[in-house]
Amino acid sequence: MSYIHGQYAPTIAMMVIAGAALGFLPYNFNPAKIFMGDGGSQLLGFSIAAVSVLGAVKSATIVVVIIPALVLGLPIFDTFMAIVRRVAKRQSIGTADKEHLHHRIMRAGFGQRRAVMILYCISGIMGIVAVLYSRGLVIEYLGLIAVAIMLIYVLLSDTGNRNISLKADKIKKEDDRGGRKKDK
C-alpha cells in the first residue's frame, strides 16, 4: 500500500521484512526444520507494526487503524475467539486448547499442509481487502470480506462429519490389484 500511495521508504522496509520472512519459510514449512519462536515472531510483528505506522495512509485516523487490522484479520479473529471461548468456560485466557482455527481445519479432514495453505489464502484475501479499502473500492472489499467470512464459517461448522482426502491413492491401489475393469 505504501508503494501505491508513493511512500517508498516504508515500501523498501516492508520488502526487506518480507524477504527475511520468505527466506525463513522453506525451513519452517511442514515438516519444519526450525521454528521462529516467540522472540522471532514478536520482532517480526513489531517490525511490521512500526513500518505500518510510518507508512500509514495519511487520511482519517480510522483508516490508519482499519488497514493493519484488515491485513492481520485472521490472527486477530483467532485470538479474539480464543479469548471469548476461554472466558465463556471461566478459564484463564492463557490456557492452551485445541480449538484454534488451524486445529479445527485439521480436524475437518484437511492435513497440516492444506490447513496452512487455506490460512495463507484467507490471509491473502484479507491483504487484498486492505488494499481495496485504501483505494476506496467499497463493493470489491465488502465482497472479499464476505468470501473470507464464508470460508471461515464453512471450515468452523460441522467439523466432525467430513473426511476430505484425495482419492487418487485408492484408485492407484485398485489399479495395482486389478480391481478396476479395463476398457475393451
Side-chain angles (χ1 to χ4, degrees):
M1 269 186 277
S2 295
Y3 178 77
I4 290 171
H5 295 285
Q7 299 171 346
Y8 300 112
T11 301
I12 292 170
M14 288 302 273
M15 289 173 66
V16 168
I17 293 169
L22 287 173
F24 176 77
L25 186 61
Y27 300 102
N28 189 243
F29 204 73
N30 184 12
K33 294 174 184 72
I34 57 175
F35 295 95
M36 185 176 288
D38 289 343
S41 64
Q42 289 175 0
L43 176 65
L44 187 61
F46 173 76
S47 301
I48 292 170
V51 174
S52 295
V53 170
L54 291 174
V57 179
K58 303 298 182 204
S59 59
T61 305
I62 191 73
V63 172
V64 175
V65 173
I66 287 178
I67 290 175
L70 287 172
V71 172
L72 299 170
L74 190 62
I76 290 171
F77 171 78
D78 195 31
T79 303
F80 175 75
M81 292 307 295
I83 291 170
V84 168
R85 183 174 57 249
R86 292 170 187 159
V87 167
K89 292 180 180 178
R90 300 193 192 306
Q91 296 176 333
S92 166
I93 61 170
T95 304
D97 64 10
K98 297 261 186 190
E99 294 299 319
H100 286 282
L101 186 56
H102 66 279
H103 289 121
R104 296 182 70 141
I105 293 171
M106 288 172 46
R107 239 189 348 259
F110 296 93
Q112 187 171 1
R113 286 180 186 238
R114 287 184 192 164
V116 169
M117 296 310 290
I118 288 168
L119 295 175
Y120 282 173
C121 289
I122 294 171
S123 292
I125 289 170
M126 295 309 292
I128 293 168
V129 165
V131 171
L132 294 173
Y133 180 82
S134 76
R135 305 286 289 178
L137 301 170
V138 177
I139 300 296
E140 290 84 354
Y141 80 76
L142 289 176
L144 282 177
I145 286 176
V147 168
I149 289 171
M150 283 188 281
L151 281 171
I152 291 171
Y153 173 76
V154 166
L155 294 170
L156 290 180
S157 64
D158 196 29
T159 58
N161 295 328
R162 285 191 306 266
N163 189 10
I164 312 277
S165 64
L166 294 176
K167 304 295 183 201
D169 290 337
K170 287 184 179 180
I171 293 170
K172 187 174 189 289
K173 287 177 186 174
E174 287 178 8
D175 285 344
D176 292 343
R177 285 184 264 157
R180 276 188 130 176
K181 295 181 181 177
K182 296 183 179 178
D183 293 332
K184 294 183 181 181

